[in-house]
Amino acid sequence: MLKRTTPLILLILITVLILNSYYIFSLVIMSFSNNDNIKKSGISVQLSDLNLITPPGDWYPLMNAFLDTTFSDYVEKDVDLLIYYSYGDYTKGSSTVFDPDSKYFNSFFGCYVIRQNETGYYGFLEDSSLDLEAILQVPKYDYEYLVAGSLGLKRDDILTDYKTNSISLVDGNHYIQLTIETNSVYHQYKQFNLNYLQYGFPYIRTGQQDFFPIQMSGKFKITKYDENITLIYYIFSQDQAIVKNWDI
């Protein structure tokens, strides 16, 4: 019996080691990348300043950081954008962000840090009222170009329809509830993509088309910070409970 079970045990151990190696590699790579992006940004807001609360559940343990260099061209304003973000944790070798059967499928949360290098605050009009159109440009750009687009979704196939369900002002902070029709990040592996270094490889097969459309819920908290900086705390998920239970 032992002779028969030994190869099976070895196979299981090797499989566990391989899958865990993807996870460990992701954590190491992203640790270096995050520090580099924060330093290059020159933005004085530290992660500890944001008081960014991780939602209940199984999330990737790092709060990643990405310094974007083209958002200013997209909105035709002199702004700098530093994105803090996280997503569903790993299981079986990749993030649950790729798994349609997981409640963390297509789930992201974090904070957009936007410094406007001219008078005023990004996302606010001269009378200090909220510029909703400008606010929505941030997640649209992020998802279309930096998330789904960078994973291989073609421009002609991008679906983004944001419906604002409610807007409120509490203690100087603006809160927005959203419903979003967009593309999922589900897709089958075709060739190596740099984003797989953080998410792992999209190994799951469900028979559905790549980047199939989904409906998501979203929530924002928008506030002004020092030095003409706007903070947009955000969460997006197909699971409404995840969005509802995030205390921002």
Side-chain angles (χ1 to χ4, degrees):
M1 178 63 72
L2 181 59
K3 290 182 179 180
R4 292 180 181 177
T5 57
T6 298
L8 177 60
I9 293 172
L10 288 175
L11 178 60
I12 293 173
L13 288 174
I14 292 171
T15 301
V16 170
L17 287 173
I18 291 174
L19 294 179
N20 283 338
S21 69
Y22 292 152
Y23 189 41
I24 294 170
F25 187 68
S26 170
L27 293 172
V28 172
I29 289 293
M30 294 311 297
S31 293
F32 283 106
S33 175
N34 295 337
N35 289 331
D36 184 56
N37 276 267
I38 292 171
K39 288 179 181 178
K40 287 180 178 178
S41 74
I43 295 177
S44 60
V45 182
Q46 301 297 316
L47 181 57
S48 58
D49 298 325
L50 299 178
N51 295 318
L52 188 54
I53 300 171
T54 300
D58 300 321
W59 298 89
Y60 189 75
L62 297 182
M63 179 54 62
N64 294 324
F66 178 76
L67 174 64
D68 178 79
T69 58
T70 59
F71 179 66
S72 59
D73 295 329
Y74 182 77
V75 295
E76 298 181 344
K77 287 181 176 291
D78 185 7
V79 295
D80 299 312
L81 172 62
L82 179 63
I83 304 173
Y84 286 102
Y85 66 101
S86 191
Y87 38 83
D89 205 0
Y90 269 51
T91 180
K92 299 179 181 178
S94 70
S95 168
T96 49
V97 75
F98 288 143
D99 184 1
D101 292 328
S102 170
K103 70 177 184 178
Y104 302 101
F105 177 54
N106 244 81
S107 297
F108 297 87
F109 81 96
C111 184
Y112 299 115
V113 181
I114 309 168
R115 179 176 60 195
Q116 184 159 296
N117 302 312
E118 54 190 63
T119 303
Y121 290 81
Y122 181 85
F124 290 89
L125 300 174
E126 291 184 3
D127 63 359
S128 294
S129 62
L130 196 66
D131 185 344
L132 182 59
E133 182 179 355
I135 293 296
L136 292 180
Q137 289 298 308
V138 187
K140 285 182 178 180
Y141 170 82
D142 181 19
Y143 200 73
E144 291 179 17
Y145 288 91
L146 306 181
V147 181
S150 66
L151 286 169
L153 178 60
K154 296 179 180 179
R155 290 288 305 156
D156 292 342
D157 297 328
I158 290 176
L159 167 67
T160 50
D161 182 12
Y162 286 66
K163 178 184 177 182
T164 303
N165 298 324
S166 68
I167 302 177
S168 58
L169 178 61
V170 181
D171 297 329
N173 301 313
H174 293 266
Y175 294 86
I176 301 177
Q177 302 276 350
L178 302 163
T179 301
I180 306 156
E181 297 281 349
T182 190
N183 307 85
S184 69
V185 295
Y186 169 84
H187 65 285
Q188 296 187 25
Y189 179 88
K190 293 183 175 64
Q191 60 185 15
F192 179 73
N193 185 299
L194 282 176
N195 286 282
Y196 298 156
L197 295 178
Q198 57 179 318
Y199 301 128
F201 289 86
Y203 66 90
I204 293 174
R205 300 290 182 267
T206 66
Q208 301 190 71
Q209 67 182 28
D210 288 359
F211 304 105
F212 65 85
I214 58 172
Q215 180 172 296
M216 300 172 65
S217 296
K219 183 163 61 178
F220 294 154
K221 172 186 172 182
I222 305 152
T223 187
K224 294 178 180 178
Y225 196 75
D226 294 338
E227 300 179 9
N228 294 356
I229 291 174
T230 300
L231 303 180
I232 305 176
Y233 297 84
Y234 67 89
I235 188 167
F236 303 108
S237 180
Q238 195 178 26
D239 189 295
Q240 294 183 12
I242 286 178
V243 175
K244 181 181 179 180
N245 294 331
W246 190 42
D247 184 14
I248 55 172

